[in-house]
C-alpha cells in the first residue's frame, strides 16, 4: 500500500488520482456517519415516545381509579338522594303479629312498579307522580291505600330522611358496612349502607317490623 502511494506521488497524474481517491474516501465516511447518527436519533425518539406513551397510560389509569374511588365514596346524604332520584330494585316486608305483606319491584327515579302480596291477594301495581294504580288486564285502577293502613312515611324516602336528618344518629361499623341508628316518635330506625349506596332500612315498633332492602 505504501509503495503504491509512493508510485502515485511520483507523477502528476498519480498525484491527481490519489487526491481524488482521498476525497472519495472522506465523503464515504461522512455519509456513513450521517446514516448512523440518523438511526440513533430515530431509536432515541422511539424510546422517548414509548416512555411518554407508557406515562400517559399510567396517568389515564390513575384518573380512572380516582374516578372510581369518587363514585364509591358518596356521602351519606348523597346515598339518601339515590333512593328518590336513582334506579334500583327493592324487596320490602311489613311484619306484624298477625300478618305479613311483601312488595317486590323496581324504582326508576320515582316511578315505581312491582307486586304486592298479602295472604289472600297478589297484585301488580305502579306508582306514578305519587299515585298508586293496580294493573289488571292492562286496565288501571287507582289504589287508595297501597300500604294497607301502615305508615306511608316509611316508603316516602325524601320525607323520611328529611325528618331523620334532624335527629342524632348512633353510628357503628361492621366490616365494610356503616349503620346509622335513630330513635324517633317511639320508633327505632336502622339504616345500613355500603360505600356507594343504602342497602337496607329497618323500622321497628310495637311488635311491627318494616324491612326495606335495595339493590342498585
Amino acid at each position: 500500500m505504501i509503495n503504491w502511494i509512493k508510485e502515485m506521488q511520483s507523477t502528476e497524474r498519480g498525484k491527481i488520482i490519489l487526491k481524488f481517491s482521498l476525497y472519495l474516501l472522506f465523503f464515504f465516511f461522512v455519509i456513513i456517519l450521517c446514516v448512523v447518527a440518523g438511526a440513533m436519533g430515530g431509536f432515541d425518539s422511539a424510546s422517548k415516545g414509548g416512555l411518554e406513551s407508557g406515562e400517559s397510560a399510567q396517568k389515564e389509569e390513575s384518573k380512572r381509579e380516582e374516578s372510581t374511588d369518587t363514585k364509591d365514596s358518596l356521602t351519606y346524604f348523597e346515598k339518601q338522594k339515590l333512593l328518590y332520584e336513582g334506579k334500583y330494585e327493592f324487596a320490602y316486608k311489613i311484619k306484624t303479629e298477625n300478618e305479613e305483606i311483601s312488595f317486590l319491584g323496581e324504582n326508576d327515579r320515582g316511578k315505581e312498579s312491582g307486586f304486592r302480596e298479602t295472604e289472600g291477594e297478589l297484585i301488580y301495581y305502579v306508582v306514578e307522580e305519587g299515585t298508586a294504580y293496580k294493573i289488571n288486564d292492562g286496565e288501571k285502577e287507582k289504589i287508595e291505600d297501597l300500604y294497607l293502613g301502615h305508615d306511608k312515611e316509611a316508603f316516602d324516602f325524601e320525607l323520611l330522611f328529611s325528618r331523620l336528618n334532624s335527629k342524632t344518629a348512633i353510628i357503628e361499623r361492621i366490616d365494610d358496612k356503616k349503620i346509622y341508628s335513630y330513635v324517633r316518635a317511639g320508633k327505632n330506625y336502622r339504616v345500613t349502607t355500603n360505600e356507594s349506596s343504602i342497602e337496607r332500612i329497618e323500622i321497628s315498633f310495637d311488635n311491627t317490623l318494616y324491612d326495606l332492602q335495595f339493590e342498585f
Side-chain angles (χ1 to χ4, degrees):
M1 183 71 174
I2 296 173
N3 290 333
W4 178 81
I5 294 173
K6 287 181 178 180
E7 289 176 1
M8 296 299 291
Q9 288 179 334
S10 65
T11 64
E12 287 298 322
R13 185 171 179 274
K15 290 178 180 179
I16 294 172
I17 293 172
L18 181 60
K19 187 179 293 186
F20 181 72
S21 299
L22 291 174
Y23 277 128
L24 287 178
L25 187 61
F26 172 78
F27 284 120
F28 175 77
F29 278 114
V30 169
I31 292 170
I32 293 297
L33 287 173
C34 289
V35 170
V36 172
M40 292 298 293
F43 176 79
D44 288 342
S45 297
S47 300
K48 184 177 180 182
L51 288 173
E52 290 176 349
S53 177
E55 290 173 356
S56 177
Q58 289 178 344
K59 288 178 181 178
E60 288 298 320
E61 181 64 25
S62 178
K63 287 179 181 178
R64 284 195 292 271
E65 289 176 356
E66 288 175 5
S67 176
T68 301
D69 290 342
T70 300
K71 182 179 178 182
D72 290 344
S73 302
L74 298 179
T75 68
Y76 180 42
F77 304 103
E78 289 171 327
K79 296 171 190 176
Q80 293 175 12
K81 197 172 182 181
L82 287 177
L83 289 182
Y84 47 90
E85 292 187 358
K87 183 176 182 179
Y88 53 88
E89 296 179 351
F90 63 80
Y92 305 154
K93 285 188 183 295
I94 300 174
K95 296 180 181 180
T96 69
E97 290 182 329
N98 303 315
E99 67 176 345
E100 181 173 316
I101 306 169
S102 298
F103 298 82
L104 186 67
E106 66 176 11
N107 188 301
D108 187 356
R109 299 168 183 84
K111 183 176 180 180
E112 183 178 317
S113 61
F115 295 89
R116 183 189 71 188
E117 182 176 359
T118 62
E119 185 176 345
E121 184 182 46
L122 175 67
I123 68 166
Y124 175 62
Y125 73 92
V126 297
V127 178
E128 299 174 342
E129 298 181 352
T131 302
Y133 300 91
K134 179 168 66 174
I135 309 298
N136 191 17
D137 284 336
E139 302 260 338
K140 291 171 65 173
E141 178 185 343
K142 187 176 179 180
I143 302 175
E144 297 296 338
D145 187 5
L146 178 62
Y147 302 107
L148 301 174
H150 292 278
D151 186 4
K152 292 189 294 184
E153 178 188 311
F155 305 89
D156 184 340
F157 301 121
E158 189 169 8
L159 176 60
L160 173 65
F161 281 107
S162 73
R163 293 177 175 173
L164 288 183
N165 289 338
S166 66
K167 303 288 290 182
T168 298
I170 303 299
I171 301 174
E172 61 179 311
R173 293 179 181 272
I174 300 177
D175 297 327
D176 63 336
K177 313 294 183 188
K178 187 183 286 189
I179 301 169
Y180 299 77
S181 298
Y182 307 82
V183 177
R184 178 182 174 273
K187 297 178 181 179
N188 296 302
Y189 296 80
R190 184 179 169 91
V191 182
T192 302
T193 71
N194 57 36
E195 290 183 341
S196 59
S197 65
I198 291 174
E199 289 186 350
R200 191 172 194 171
I201 300 174
E202 297 166 278
I203 307 171
S204 57
F205 60 97
D206 300 333
N207 296 318
T208 298
L209 173 65
Y210 296 169
D211 186 358
L212 317 180
Q213 298 185 47
F214 315 94
E215 184 174 342
F216 286 84

